[in-house]
Amino acid sequence: MTNSEPRGYHGIDIGGTKIELVAFAEEGHELKEVHRERIATPGTDFAEFLLAIQGLVGRADKALGLRAPVGIGLPGVIDSATGRQLSSNVPALNGRAVAHALKDALERPVAVGNDCQCFALSEAQGGAAHGQPTMFGAIIGTGAGGGYCVEGRLLRGANGVAGEWGHWPLPAAQLLPHALPILDCPCGRRGCLERYVSGPGMSRLHQHLGGGDETPLAIVAQARAGSAIAAQTMALHADLLGHALATLVLTLDPHAIVLGGGLSQLAHLYDQLPAAMRRHLFPGVRVPPILPPKFGDAGGARGAALLARQQLSGH
Ligand SMILES: [Zn+2]
């Protein structure tokens, strides 16, 4: 290592309501947190958004004593041809070439990935799947997304959309037996898994089966209290999710799957998913361990910093 190499990274996690920056010092191969700041996400004004990020990074540089490279985790999809942000839940960023603008505004290298990829990377390096040759991080929250890591490195693919399992279509073999409607997805496609297995998706399944408009936590509580409809919702949801993760095994065959997002807190999934996956796999295919996250949502900024290190220093 030479003195000119960075010895720290800033990770920024950008969400619909808050932006969090965490500054990390590099100690050996470990990243040690030295500074953290959280601000409200500027609503609709892109210039205001850039100024806010410049302020955050300036203060983090001072805390770290170093002008550090920046990794950013963003919700939504980036158009690989134009670098423009698509379908973001941060209105200020829609249609903007966020990475290019931030590189100019911050005058330093900037790595940009989506928030699900950052989650996966954080769980692959020092997280729940640390040391696994391959792992898949599957976020199940307001949406469903993910990331695939090999030997601790995130594989992003040609378009940067590798791991977008939530936009696989739910197959007819799952739609027809339960008379499920084919739902439109904000991504522009129809029948995407995310519409059925995310948090709002689980609530939709519950209403489809005759239940009320309830959150996943409330559905689980109702099932415990003896509600047959809530128990059916949990079983159907676990089966759809198990089918999806079985397809993931047949596609990428990860050594471990780490769940993230709000539904990763539902303890029954860790009990029910392995059996549900086994039902949709053939004999001889072992189900990988389904693990709760170590960092969870708090790993977003950490994953972004790791992405900066991966892209900028080749680690
Ligand atoms: Zn979709």
Side-chain angles (χ1 to χ4, degrees):
M1 180 180 282
T2 66
N3 288 336
S4 62
E5 287 183 25
R7 292 182 304 278
Y9 299 89
H10 302 320
I12 304 180
D13 182 32
I14 296 174
T17 55
K18 65 166 179 67
I19 297 176
E20 183 168 62
L21 180 149
V22 184
F24 295 91
E26 191 169 39
E27 293 186 353
H29 197 64
E30 303 296 315
L31 293 185
K32 186 181 161 229
E33 178 181 332
V34 295
H35 168 82
R36 179 182 289 256
E37 185 178 350
R38 191 183 277 198
I39 60 169
T41 305
T44 53
D45 190 296
F46 189 58
E48 194 187 326
F49 168 83
L50 289 178
L51 273 177
I53 299 285
Q54 275 177 307
L56 274 176
V57 169
R59 292 187 289 279
D61 277 350
K62 274 202 189 103
L64 196 58
L66 172 70
R67 191 179 164 76
V70 172
I72 293 179
L74 288 167
V77 175
I78 297 161
D79 184 323
S80 61
T82 65
R84 292 183 189 283
Q85 184 76 17
L86 305 173
S87 65
S88 171
N89 65 351
V90 183
L93 306 187
N94 262 332
R96 301 287 187 169
V98 180
H100 294 224
L102 284 172
K103 242 173 249 173
D104 288 346
L106 300 171
E107 299 177 308
R108 72 185 75 200
V110 172
V112 176
N114 83 31
D115 47 355
C116 300
Q117 294 173 329
C118 291
F119 160 77
L121 193 50
S122 183
E123 294 297 334
Q125 284 194 33
H130 185 78
Q132 297 282 358
T134 67
M135 66 80 73
F136 192 86
I139 294 232
I140 319 164
T142 51
Y148 184 53
C149 295
V150 177
E151 307 288 357
R153 288 179 64 84
L154 181 72
L155 289 196
R156 306 182 72 192
N159 286 285
V161 298
E164 288 285 3
W165 67 285
H167 299 282
W168 290 347
L170 196 65
Q174 291 288 81
L175 283 165
L176 295 177
H178 306 289
L180 290 168
I182 300 175
L183 300 170
D184 291 336
C185 183
C187 77
R189 288 153 47 90
R190 303 188 69 215
C192 290
L193 266 167
E194 160 173 304
R195 306 295 287 162
Y196 307 83
V197 303
S198 62
M202 188 173 176
S203 301
R204 273 183 213 109
L205 293 178
H206 190 56
Q207 287 179 280
H208 176 73
L209 293 172
D213 184 10
E214 307 286 356
T215 64
L217 278 177
I219 294 167
V220 172
Q222 285 178 5
R224 275 206 205 104
S227 159
I229 292 179
Q232 278 174 33
T233 301
M234 286 172 67
L236 175 57
H237 177 259
D239 193 59
L240 298 184
L241 204 49
H243 185 282
L245 296 182
T247 305
L248 189 75
V249 167
L250 296 176
T251 313
L252 297 173
D253 203 4
H255 290 77
I257 295 174
V258 182
L259 302 185
L263 297 203
S264 69
Q265 294 167 25
L266 300 183
H268 76 276
L269 288 180
Y270 302 95
D271 296 330
Q272 294 186 9
L273 278 177
M277 290 169 71
R278 219 166 281 127
R279 280 198 296 279
H280 298 291
L281 287 168
F282 32 80
V285 181
R286 278 196 307 269
V287 171
I290 310 294
L291 306 170
K294 177 173 175 185
F295 298 106
D297 292 345
R302 186 175 178 277
L306 288 167
L307 185 66
R309 179 164 76 169
Q310 174 177 318
Q311 281 193 204
L312 303 172
S313 72
H315 276 292

